[in-house]
Amino acid sequence: MSVALESIASAVGRRYRALRTSRTLATFCANPLNVAGLSIVTAITIAAVIGPLVAPYDPTTQDLANRLQGPSLAHPFGTDQLGRDMLSRLLYGARLSLGIAVAVTGIRLVLGTAIGLLAGYAGGWIDEALMRLVDIQLAFPGLVLALVIAGILGPSLRNVMLALAVVGWASYARLVRGTVLATKERDFVRAARLMNVSRFRIATRHLLPNVAGPVVVLATLNMGTVILGTAGLSFIGLGAQPPTPEWGTMLADGRHHLRTAWWIANVPGVAIMCTVLGFTLLGDGLRDVLDPNHETTLEKPT
Amino acid sequence: MDTAPYLVHRFGTSLVVLAGVSVVTYGLLFLTPGDPAEVILSQQLDRQPSEAEIEAFRAEHGMDEPVPLQYADWLTDVLRGDLGTSYYSDASVTGLILDALPLTLELAAASVVVALALAIPTGVLSAVHRGTAIDRASQLGALVGVSMPNFWLGYLLILVFALTLGVLPVAGAGSYSQLVLPAITLGTGMAAVLTRLVRSSMLDVLDEGYLDTARSKGLRKRIVVYKHALRNALVPVVTILGVQLGALLNGAVVIEIVFQRPGLGMLLVDAVFERNYPVVQGITLFTAVAFVVTNLLVDLSYRYLDPRVELGGDPA
Amino acid sequence: AETSQDADANGSFTIVPTSDPTGTGDSWENWGGMTPYWTRVIEPLVWGTGGMQPQPWLATDWTATDDTTWVFDLREGVTFHNGDEMTADDVVHSFEEDILTERGDFVHGWLHLEPGSVDRIDDYTVSFETTEPFPGFPGTIAHNMIDIQPPEADRRDGDIIGTGPFTLAEMEQGQQLRVERFEDYWGGAPEPTGLTFRAAEDATTRTDLLVAGEVDLIYEPATSRIDGLRERGDVRVETEQSSGSVFVSINIHREPTHDADLRRALNYAISQDEIVTTVLEDIGQPARGPLSSVIDWAADEELPAYERDRDRARDLVSQSSYDGEELTCLVENDMDDGRTLVQILQEEFEKIGVTLDVEVLESASLRDRTDRGEFHLELGTSQSNSPAADYIMWENFHTMGISNKDLYEAEGTGLHNLGGEVDELIETGFQSHDPDEKREAYVAAQREIMDAGVVVPLFYREYVVAADAELEGIDLHPIDKFAQWGELTRTT
Amino acid sequence: MTTTPPTLEYGPDDAATPDDEATNLLAVENLQVQFGTHDGPVRAVDGVSFSLEPGETVGIVGESGCGKSVTARSIVGLQEPGEVVGGTVHIDGVNVHEASDRARRQLRGDTVSMVFQDPDQTLNPAFDVGEQIAESLKVHDQPERQRLLDYLHAPLFANRSDWRDHRERAVELMDQVGIDEPADRVDDYPHEFSGGMRQRAGLAIALASDPDLLIADEPTTALDTTTQAQLLDRLRRLTDERNMATLLITHDLGVVADICDRVVVLYAGQVMETGPTDRVLAAPHHPYTRALLECRTSRAARKRRVPTIEGTVPERLGEQPGCPFAPRCPAAVDACREGEPPTFERDDGTVRCREGVVFGEPDADGGLGLEYGCGETQCDEGDSSTTSATASTRSASQPLRTDAGTDSLVSLEGVSKRYQQAGGLLRRLLGTDRSLQAVDDVTLEIAAGETLGLVGESGSGKSTLANLVTGLETPTSGAVRFDGDLVGAAGTRTAATLHDVGVVFQNPRSSLNPRLPVAQVIAEPLHANGWNEQRRRDRVSELLESVGLSERHAERYPHELSGGQLQRVAIARAIALDPRLVVLDEPVSALDVSVQARILNLLLELQRDLELTYLLISHDLDVVEHVSDRVVVLSNGEVVEAGPTERVLAEPSHPETAALVEAVPRLEHSSQ
Ligand SMILES: Nc1ncnc2c1ncn2[C@@H]1O[C@H](COP(=O)(O)OP(=O)(O)OP(=O)(O)O)[C@@H](O)[C@H]1O
Ligand SMILES: Nc1ncnc2c1ncn2[C@@H]1O[C@H](COP(=O)(O)OP(=O)(O)OP(=O)(O)O)[C@@H](O)[C@H]1O
Ligand SMILES: [Mg+2]
Ligand SMILES: [Mg+2]
């Protein structure tokens, strides 16, 4: 027990020291865009966590007498067509949008990584079969397939998440497999094989960590794509059901007021844009640090 | 490596993928909650069908056969170019797709032109001035493009160019002026991806030794950049263009709605909402096949672009 | 608006209706690449007056010779677009070959006609044998779909031959269609040389098209833009009360909405006035019942007024068997302002302690759900596209109406059907030739329906047409699709 | 930028008179180049001065990272991303860094050409070789008329006949640099060329402008010795024919000895010594030059400790007083560490060392009898000092190991390995299957305790053979036995048999998992064999000590270690389970001479202490000669010669061996 604790403590210490002493942080911070990305993502995450606590109003409470009010002290981002406070809706929406993005990305990542790892490591016909599966998934334009799936299952956030998750895992599988194949032939894996290291341990200890960098980068970039995908599906009418303050739905609803009450559409629009921008910048920054050889192939857009 | 066996291999795998695609497409029908026959029939009849009617319908459409057999029948028709008939009109799905296709193709082509015209100069400029304000600005610009939900961008463009400035039409299809805004909307999103790619691949290339060779010959900077560097940097860009076809189709769905262009995207959305399965299946299959074929062509064009590529290498 | 693109001196106009004039997709609206609505290319025998009464059109007169037989006299000297004269054969052909066969068998129930029941008596007289007494027959066939075409017309080829003031010139699927003036129109050649009908199903897009000067006239601009349009000097905004109304219909055979107290409570929760003056920007009239007050037997004044009274509503809720479960409310995704309205309902119901779960669905899944009766409330519009609005009562509230009969197994089943007395009243109203008797029966039925809170009426629709201020001669009709374009001109 | 140029007592500052510029084709004066990094500017070139006259061949030598390439690139104005912060470069009287873009292009097109280090990198993969040479010719002909569209061959804009003409001349040039059948190869793309041919194509591009000055940056390092010899020969002939001045950059003193008239020794961005090649190699004045010459394995007695220069080339960050070599210099005194060393101008060159003051003229034989080991106090790579320092004081004259045993540990019986060339089922069906005989019927034995050297040209099957011995590959036919037992595939073997073989790969960086700290890397085999935490920790400390690393290194990640240290980690891991055989696949070829020497010393020491048997692969005959008892020469997968090292290398009986031996450039040949 104490040994385990000790080893954890030493691992943490090592990581911390590595972070402090290595150039990683310096490299990351050298580009102001990376720092901007990190700041945006941090801000959004904070908003998602504490948003409901600090939101001035309930996001669904209507006030028809005060509908379509422009930004003011009482309503910094104005009110919508039902007199709801945009700021509060935005804050509640942050949790939702981020939650969807995390969940979808998480499913894609786990599924894709598992498949990619298996394909890359097992090789042979398993690899062949899994890669064809990947090709098949990639053959469908992501949003088109997601639209069909979500459309058939019926509009709801859960179905949107499901549809987006189903269409996005293959990029991970491909990336992981590619990295595994490249890593597998690296001398340190060959050395491990000669040292009687078990297959499982090779996979988890030597292959996975080397795959992690590119995967994290892809996942970070993916967060943005998922948010955009959700917005697109919401626009088509397959997103959140009212009165859920989901950003994409808010933006889609607000488009009718673009000329008369610009804030209803533009506030969630800017929020989506900043979030996607933040994640993309952060992803780029992480790529500089985690994946200096740019092993990450460009993700397929969804 | 010889081209012929590679081609055979590449075609072989493409066929496997297409077969898989067709299975998935056909399987979509079974995603629907409830019995497909009943759902279809109630759409057609506009009321709850009776058991007898459902039975009759099943028999008529071969739905009482085992699923693999149904699939085989469907596939046979598909291979003959017959994607079935719309549930709501007696129009053939193939005909509907072919009618809608030109508008979508037109949009896609125009968007690619917009995207390349924006992405190549910006990406090159950004890479050549790496780390400077120019670089940051164009990177940020590109990212803003890709970070905006494209329907929002579309409406903003309409607001500015059609309503405020009045220089371009609001919506519709047919004339070149009506193509401009949708192409810009769709093109900027893609341009953003391409700019980043051009930039990063230019950066990689700019570090290459052969550019020093070119410079040390006494070549002008312009020639070094636009002949020696860009040519190599474009290889990954072209690869991505194939993949971007998917992005174009994704974008087309939304943008056709925004700009009221009755292309494939709009057809698909309508069909999904109406549960017009033959049309949904037809379009899904068609886009997937188009995607596979395009990427096959892109792969083959590698050889021309990058003589190093040994066909058969995994272009993952 | 600025000068329209194709505004030539001769008077050609571009009009954007609410639905795609080329009728992509749905067979009901698609008639050879054109919808029969809006375009005035094809015409029915009967038309409707502004007061929703049948009006002679291609038929000049009609009489019921017995309970089930109708004899129609045809107008003489009506020329088809191909130059032939319209005779009884064309009417028989249109009904037998097109309307009763190709339009689908649901038409039989709607028109109360079976194939083989239309006969030529002489060149200008036709008889119809209805399956049961049907006094509403002339009003019912005053519908754009029940059109007369010669046998030569082949809609599959897009070869549409009608008798209307405009002939079809050009179609681009999903985009637009052009019609041209028909000089030999029986009612005299129309003013405009041509009309272009453009597709734009999104209200905001329609409004933008008008504001940008790309079109001359649009139906139903986006609600949020109407105020702005009114303020513009170059746009005229006209409103017209429509034959439609918007209400929430309640599934009265499902728990807990089977409880009338709960349904009444819902009625007491809503302020129709507030809805109309706020989110609807004063377009529409607060409703007391399910039928637009332009329909002559619609009971409005006679109905109980459920003024908003939250205390009373809460009392009723606690009296009822409702114990906090979520009620499902369905609404179709392309209903204008549907999402907004349903959220107001949600909020208002919340205030009386009733939770509403909203599902905005596409047409197909909505129908799927209603067919199965798997919902509590549905927000929707009921509108009559012909002067005979009887079927609104029948369809919605009679046990054998389309909405109810599939789910009807025994007393206490169905959807919105109170059954018993209400069924009888509807039947009486339906079969009555006497306007007073008919009105009395229908009013009684409506009162029962409202007493039992089967619906939560919201408002009687008004529709808005916005046009270039220079346009004159806009002739609107309670049935929006009945607008006439023959007198459209441009001043200056 | 804040750097003040060192005060020179004599020096090129005085030499930089206008009339000198007139006679000098190239005059580099006090050149300073810096790179901006996170830790501040790095002074990569720190006051370099030298000059070149027409027809002269000058070599620049120095350890890796000394600033050789940066100097060379700065001469042609390609110092980016570095920045020239001081000094001048004149070519033909033109100041390169102040000239306009146009003038600089003119210079590159006419006067100076450059051949770059890595042939894979030199040629643009997107254009055929002919195009690239022709382009160079075209620039030379019309340096001022460069239209993009013309160069892109845009239809209507390009001058076709002009191009045809240039291509014909390109073929001639290819012929001149020794590419066979140039007319057939002119349309080939670079990837269709072998490394040697690519390097020659690079030379053709450089020669196309008929330059007065050719700069060649390590033109041969990427080539095997035979190819290297051919290229050097060609270079020498061309320089003579064209009366071209050549600046040759290399870390290989043998190459310098081969073709250079004069040599410039660079260390940490500063010129340490210049002078005629013969004199500098025979009688080096500067301690650094002497150290460089000493640590060549060919100078040391077989199996004896090689003198080493401890420490590494310092990154020159900020102001550091004193001679940059002082921390590694055995002769350094306090003054060296504090003040700038003076530069002495001699008739035949310069020396930048205080030693001139102390010793005056060094002995002509260059041997000062000094020990270039690491002194306790001077060591830079301090942790490795303990063992190496004690080793070096202890050693030098006595052999490091006892004689080899005679019982065979590994035996290969008629072993062949055939590779199926890429392709799957489909290709096999199509009958386009091709296979490659990587190892062909090899029979050999490795006796316990001996070191078997495996040499051969690139691609001759050395690595494949090693993989067969370790079990990473299984033979297509024949049997590999270890201690009499058949060796199966790595996955199928028992832990016990896997223990007996340790492997050290060529590239230390790629053989260590970058995500694991050193201690865990070394503990990996122990873990795999179920050792517990405590035992593992003890063993790791023990191993670290035996390879000369300290506990401090245990927690570091591979990227925080130098190349030499990484290879020590790899060796520690290989011996973790007390193997009997260690397979060393090019264990030092990625390393600098001085580091190489240290690793070889370590290997010899370990062999003696642990009674190891080595299978050593190297393309460097000097290394093989130094450490192995017996040599096996492979050619196209076959053993063409085998025998005791001295005999095989001294009197090769097979032409292949002879060619290999012949091709090694040696100081001794020319200095004798
Ligand atoms: N792009 C760069 N960025 C930062 N520092 C650099 C860069 N290029 C070179 N340097 C620094 O300049 C110094 C000299 O490098 P240079 O390439 O000239 O060495 P070299 O003598 O040619 O070595 P090698 O034999 O390995 O080629 C190195 O210490 C390196 O740190
Ligand atoms: N996995 C493999 N598949 C196919 N061919 C291979 C494989 N590994 C090696 N070869 C081929 O076998 C031959 C011998 O390769 P090997 O790596 O043993 O050469 P080497 O002597 O070690 O060369 P070098 O000095 O360049 O390392 C080469 O022609 C190589 O292309
Ligand atoms: Mg170098
Ligand atoms: Mg090898």
Side-chain angles (χ1 to χ4, degrees), chain C residues 229-244:
Chain C
L229 292 179
R230 282 202 171 109
E231 281 160 21
R232 292 177 72 119
D234 58 350
V235 170
R236 70 190 310 159
V237 176
E238 306 212 344
T239 53
E240 174 80 21
Q241 179 164 9
S242 134
S243 61

Side-chain angles (χ1 to χ4, degrees), chain A residues 223-240:
Chain A
M223 294 282 291
T225 359
V226 172
I227 291 174
L228 286 179
T230 317
L233 290 177
S234 294
F235 170 73
I236 293 168
L238 295 172

Side-chain angles (χ1 to χ4, degrees), chain A residues 17 23 188 201 205-206, chain D residues 39 495 511 513 520 527 555:
Chain A
R17 194 180 47 73
R23 298 252 163 96
F188 66 82
R201 196 173 157 84
R205 222 171 138 70
H206 293 287
Chain D
D39 310 325
S511 69
N513 188 341
Q520 292 189 34
H527 190 281
E555 295 295 284

Side-chain angles (χ1 to χ4, degrees), chain A residues 144-154 159 162-163 166-167, chain B residues 28 31 272:
Chain A
V144 168
L145 189 60
L147 162 72
V148 171
I149 294 175
I152 291 177
L153 293 179
N159 291 344
L162 207 85
V166 166
V167 302
Chain B
L28 286 175
L31 267 186
V272 167

Side-chain angles (χ1 to χ4, degrees), chain D residues 240-383:
Chain D
D240 289 351
E241 280 165 17
R242 302 182 174 219
N243 192 30
M244 214 166 46
T246 309
L247 183 62
L248 183 81
I249 287 140
T250 180
H251 64 260
D252 191 334
L253 291 169
V255 172
V256 171
D258 232 12
I259 64 169
C260 294
D261 303 324
R262 283 197 299 131
V263 59
V264 175
V265 179
L266 219 54
Y267 182 78
Q270 297 185 356
V271 176
M272 294 289 124
E273 177 166 10
T274 64
T277 311
D278 294 348
R279 200 276 293 153
V280 171
L281 296 186
H285 292 319
H286 198 284
Y288 178 63
T289 320
R290 291 199 294 270
L292 268 185
L293 287 163
E294 282 293 328
C295 62
R296 289 161 44 84
T297 41
S298 53
R299 284 279 295 254
R302 267 185 19 85
K303 298 258 175 185
R304 303 290 161 96
R305 158 162 289 280
V306 185
T308 59
I309 325 173
E310 287 301 332
T312 50
V313 182
E315 285 255 295
R316 306 262 294 156
L317 271 166
E319 286 300 324
Q320 285 153 335
C323 171
F325 187 58
R328 302 171 75 188
C329 178
V333 295
D334 283 349
C336 294
R337 285 184 273 277
E338 276 143 27
E340 283 297 329
T343 302
F344 292 98
E345 188 92 6
R346 296 165 44 101
D347 325 336
D348 60 354
T350 58
V351 190
R352 181 178 165 85
C353 184
R354 195 166 296 279
E355 217 179 51
V357 185
V358 183
F359 297 103
E361 291 268 311
D363 299 346
D365 62 29
L368 286 175
L370 285 170
E371 193 42 78
Y372 297 105
C374 180
E376 214 70 41
T377 49
Q378 315 156 332
C379 205
D380 180 325
E381 206 189 46
D383 15 26

